[in-house]
Amino acid sequence: MEAYGTAAGLQKVPLYEQVANLLESQILNQLEDGDLLPSEQQLAEQFLVSRTIIREAQKLLKERGLLDSKAGKGTYVKRLHAQDIAVVFSRLIRMERIDYISVFDMRNILEVEAVARASQNATPEELEKMAEMLDKLKEPSLSEIQYSEYDFSFHYMIAKASGNPLLAIMTEAIGSLCRQII
């Protein structure tokens, strides 16, 4: 990212980044997953910039995981997933040289709170599904991979039953990291 110093010591944000930020705001507040963006020409007219600036802004939003281009069809809004968070976490963990014990410790911290909240908020249907998953986890013929997948599903069910959607997303992302480590 290019930035230019100013006399006041502030950083001047490049025009394509300013447009990307405005477009991101529109995406987050007005558009849905799979919505088609207006053409480059229409966006250029809307933001009073060149198509080159629009292309650079869209490139930045693709890097942020918010857009997806389909050749000959246009550019679409893309929903972020917990896996996207897991990728960022994975990079951060490697850069900060965080050991796997800390990753599993974080998972435990999230899961303890998820259990506490799920015990108050879980519906009878959710409790039934969790009981079914526990039965699957007890099957002696499970491979390690199957056990890991069922275990992850069970913990994710608990997080969803907590009633906090962000806790469910974070549990899913941390769970994904833990599966990579395992």
Side-chain angles (χ1 to χ4, degrees):
M1 179 171 73
E2 217 173 276
Y4 307 96
T6 65
L10 301 174
Q11 297 298 315
K12 186 175 180 181
V13 178
L15 184 57
Y16 75 89
E17 194 172 333
Q18 293 175 47
V19 171
N21 291 339
L22 291 170
L23 192 51
E24 179 176 340
S25 179
Q26 285 185 358
I27 289 168
L28 296 175
N29 296 316
Q30 300 168 11
L31 301 175
E32 299 291 327
D33 184 33
D35 282 353
L36 177 65
L37 282 187
S39 69
E40 283 182 6
Q41 185 61 42
Q42 291 169 319
L43 289 172
E45 290 170 7
Q46 177 185 341
F47 290 106
L48 303 173
V49 296
S50 70
R51 289 176 59 186
T52 302
I53 295 294
I54 295 300
R55 277 192 291 274
E56 288 299 312
Q58 287 181 338
K59 181 180 174 185
L60 183 57
L61 292 174
K62 286 176 194 170
E63 291 170 4
R64 292 179 186 172
L66 295 172
L67 295 179
D68 186 30
S69 291
K70 297 177 183 175
K73 295 186 178 182
T75 302
Y76 294 83
V77 173
K78 180 181 164 195
R79 181 177 178 266
L80 290 172
H81 298 278
Q83 184 58 36
D84 298 315
I85 297 169
V87 169
V88 172
F89 280 169
S90 180
R91 287 186 188 124
L92 182 63
I93 287 165
R94 286 194 310 257
M95 289 175 70
E96 297 294 325
R97 292 172 175 66
I98 296 171
D99 62 24
Y100 71 91
I101 294 169
S102 295
V103 175
F104 281 93
D105 185 45
M106 184 64 190
R107 179 183 179 191
N108 287 335
I109 291 167
L110 287 174
E111 289 176 354
V112 166
E113 188 59 31
V115 167
R117 290 174 183 243
S119 71
Q120 298 170 346
N121 299 321
T123 66
E125 294 81 17
E126 288 171 324
L127 291 171
E128 186 176 324
K129 286 180 183 179
M130 285 185 250
E132 290 171 10
M133 188 58 68
L134 272 178
D135 288 341
K136 286 182 181 181
L137 281 164
K138 293 176 186 174
E139 291 177 15
S141 62
L142 290 178
S143 70
E144 287 183 29
I145 292 171
Q146 288 173 316
Y147 183 86
S148 177
E149 289 301 318
Y150 287 154
D151 181 65
F152 172 75
S153 294
F154 177 69
H155 289 283
Y156 181 66
M157 287 175 177
I158 292 171
K160 280 190 75 166
S162 75
N164 184 326
L166 186 55
L167 181 55
I169 291 169
M170 295 301 292
T171 298
E172 186 177 1
I174 293 291
S176 180
L177 285 174
C178 291
R179 286 197 316 243
Q180 289 174 14
I181 292 169
I182 291 171

